[in-house]
Amino acid sequence: MLVAPARAGRPHDVAAAAPGGGAPACRFCPGNEGETPPETMAVRPEGGEANGGGWLVRAVPNKFPALAPDEGVHEVIVNTPRHVTRLAELTGEEAGRAVAAWAERVAAVARDPRGLRPFLFLNQGAAAGASLQHSHAQLVGLPFDPPRLVARERAFAAAPACPVCADIASAGGRLVAEGEGLVAWCPEVPPLSGTVRIAPARHVPDWESWLEPAALGRCLRDRMAEVERAFGESAANLWLHQRRPGSDGDFHWHVDAVPRLGTLAGLELGAGVVAATRSPSEVAARLREVALPA
């Protein structure tokens, strides 16, 4: 449990409007760079000064962090200068550029001399925890190993074979899409109803072992768009699972795309037991029905 009172001060732009009406004033849009802390990374193909315009993707410290700077890292990675709110709205080029930036910042946090544990995630929509709607990912560098990630690593260590490889091999009707070295499927045991999991088709433990940002960006964008078409809900979370930095343990990196199709209530929060309202095979079949053209 992180006690993070600074989070209570986060601004929310879901219903906010700019003076005189129109779109809300967005601190992540170009021209508002002064509304964020100084950037930690930016892509400016045409050059330009740091913390100015001309960027295509930009990372900054979170102004309302879950971790104080002396404890760890909490960054925001703005996926595009365009004011879009959903990953499905990115172009293929934008999605690939965003994934490349995510990977660069994850690697930077992994090199932190404090030995932080990077965890990358994306909240899309107010129901999924996003307070600012301009499409962005977040990266935390935790000063401890989070229990759910530790449990995942222990499951890999205890299994006779890679659980991700085994789930892909047995997916059958749970398969959603495959190509460009990636597989998307609905895991047999999803974290929440409607989950789509994306992983390399071959066994690789972390992004540094194999990552094609353009391919993963397109895959994530398309799967998120298909979930919206299938279930009429754009609120969703993404998160990355990969091997702990510096570890030589077995793992198979994967990204979970989790639409928020229901509400976490007493059973889930109190007992840690999730009652999925849709079976993985049902979800996969529906996603194949609405699949975007390759």
Side-chain angles (χ1 to χ4, degrees):
M1 174 66 71
L2 292 174
V3 179
R7 301 292 284 161
R10 290 181 298 165
H12 292 73
D13 67 359
V14 179
C26 174
R27 67 186 61 210
F28 291 160
C29 280
N32 294 333
E33 291 82 6
E35 296 295 315
T36 68
E39 65 197 33
T40 55
M41 179 274 255
V43 175
R44 289 185 176 82
E46 305 300 324
E49 294 186 5
N51 303 303
W55 53 272
L56 299 180
V57 60
R58 184 171 185 257
V60 299
N62 195 309
K63 200 170 183 177
F64 304 92
L67 289 155
D70 61 340
E71 298 173 323
V73 169
H74 190 172
E75 289 188 354
V76 171
I77 306 167
V78 185
N79 295 325
T80 173
R82 295 190 303 120
H83 188 80
V84 297
T85 62
R86 297 155 37 244
L87 207 65
E89 296 178 272
L90 299 185
T91 67
E93 186 176 1
E94 287 173 330
R97 189 183 298 118
V99 169
W102 300 351
E104 181 178 331
R105 294 310 302 155
V106 166
V109 172
R111 293 192 299 268
D112 191 291
R114 293 173 289 178
L116 302 177
R117 178 68 180 263
F119 184 67
L120 176 83
F121 63 97
L122 180 148
N123 299 336
Q124 177 176 288
S131 57
L132 297 180
Q133 303 307 301
H134 190 131
S135 181
H136 65 282
Q138 297 186 61
L139 173 64
V140 292
L142 296 164
F144 54 84
D145 283 325
R148 186 162 292 180
L149 301 191
V150 171
R152 195 93 177 122
E153 290 174 346
R154 287 176 177 165
F156 271 82
C162 170
V164 168
C165 289
D167 204 22
I168 293 172
S170 65
R174 295 183 285 108
L175 186 69
V176 175
E178 56 185 328
E180 298 189 284
L182 296 167
V183 181
W185 77 105
C186 293
E188 184 177 15
V189 183
L192 288 174
S193 187
T195 297
V196 180
R197 184 163 288 163
I198 297 102
R202 64 185 181 91
H203 184 81
V204 286
D206 48 44
W207 276 5
E208 290 188 358
S209 301
W210 182 88
L211 172 66
E212 294 292 343
L216 181 58
R218 285 190 295 269
C219 184
L220 290 174
R221 179 199 62 176
D222 291 350
R223 303 297 80 79
M224 294 284 275
E226 289 162 0
V227 165
E228 290 183 30
R229 294 174 67 180
F231 302 112
E233 177 57 71
S234 61
N237 301 101
L238 293 178
W239 56 74
L240 167 70
H241 282 301
Q242 66 173 352
R243 183 171 62 180
R244 180 192 293 107
S247 168
D248 58 0
D250 189 35
F251 208 77
H252 190 152
W253 74 254
H254 53 282
V255 176
D256 282 350
V258 184
R260 300 304 295 266
L261 303 180
T263 301
L264 297 181
L267 181 64
E268 293 82 7
L269 297 174
V273 176
V274 176
T277 57
R278 295 171 174 84
S279 72
S281 56
E282 174 194 349
V283 172
R286 181 66 182 128
L287 293 177
R288 291 193 300 270
E289 287 176 9
V290 302
L292 297 170

